[in-house]
Amino acid sequence: MATDAPPPAKAEHHLPSAEEFTTVQESAEFGELRRSYRSFAFPLTVAFIAWYLLYVLLSNYAGDFMGTKLLGNVNIAFVLGIAQFVTTFLIAWWYSRHAAAKLDPKAEAIKSRMEGGA
């Protein structure tokens, strides 16, 4: 049986001021969060772009190599192309684990303090 009672009240959240945002942004804790993100994301981004460009360059300038048959009609180009997809999913999975272990707890602590007004 349905009731007309309102849903339970949500806890009031403190809305931080611009000064509080600036203070947090300049804090060592936020700097560590930013460093942790950048030290993971930037090198992987550069590595993946280099890997992708290598594939493109090999496809354009090393046609004989890329056309080398490995097994039946499967050639090196096909294997490296599939490896591009596999690499993409592996990086996404790895980043997800990194974020859950290193970034999310730090970000949640900062968010809780900001919303709690502490």
Side-chain angles (χ1 to χ4, degrees), residues 13-25 30 107-118:
H13 290 290
H14 168 75
L15 295 176
S17 67
E19 293 80 23
E20 289 172 312
F21 275 110
T22 302
T23 301
V24 168
Q25 184 180 6
F30 188 80
E108 187 60 37
I110 292 170
K111 178 184 172 207
S112 294
R113 265 198 310 287
M114 297 240 359
E115 289 180 347

